[in-house]
Amino acid sequence: VVAAACANVLRSTREALGAGPLASDAGYSRASEDLAAYIHQHHGDRDLAELGTGAAHHVEDVHGRTT
């Protein structure tokens, strides 16, 4: 949810402000790049898959069978 909100913020601000602030406002440019880096580090789908796999193995261990 947070990564999606961040992506929406980046898209909306770039559409509204254009490229000007990226070139002329160091604070805006730095914040925009930091937010983009956060989004690129987000691995939500992969993390959910790992949690599901871990839960499935836990069920196997507890019950001695695959469910």
Side-chain angles (χ1 to χ4, degrees):
V1 172
V2 173
C6 291
N8 286 335
V9 167
L10 279 179
R11 186 185 68 253
S12 297
T13 55
R14 288 180 179 166
E15 287 175 2
L17 302 175
L22 289 172
S24 63
D25 185 334
Y28 173 81
S29 180
R30 187 171 36 255
S32 180
E33 290 304 314
D34 287 347
L35 194 53
Y38 168 78
I39 293 169
H40 289 298
Q41 293 173 3
H42 175 69
H43 306 293
D45 292 338
R46 185 180 69 198
D47 294 344
L48 287 175
E50 289 177 14
L51 287 171
T53 300
H57 289 299
H58 176 72
V59 169
E60 288 178 19
D61 292 343
V62 170
H63 298 290
R65 64 186 190 291
T66 303
T67 58

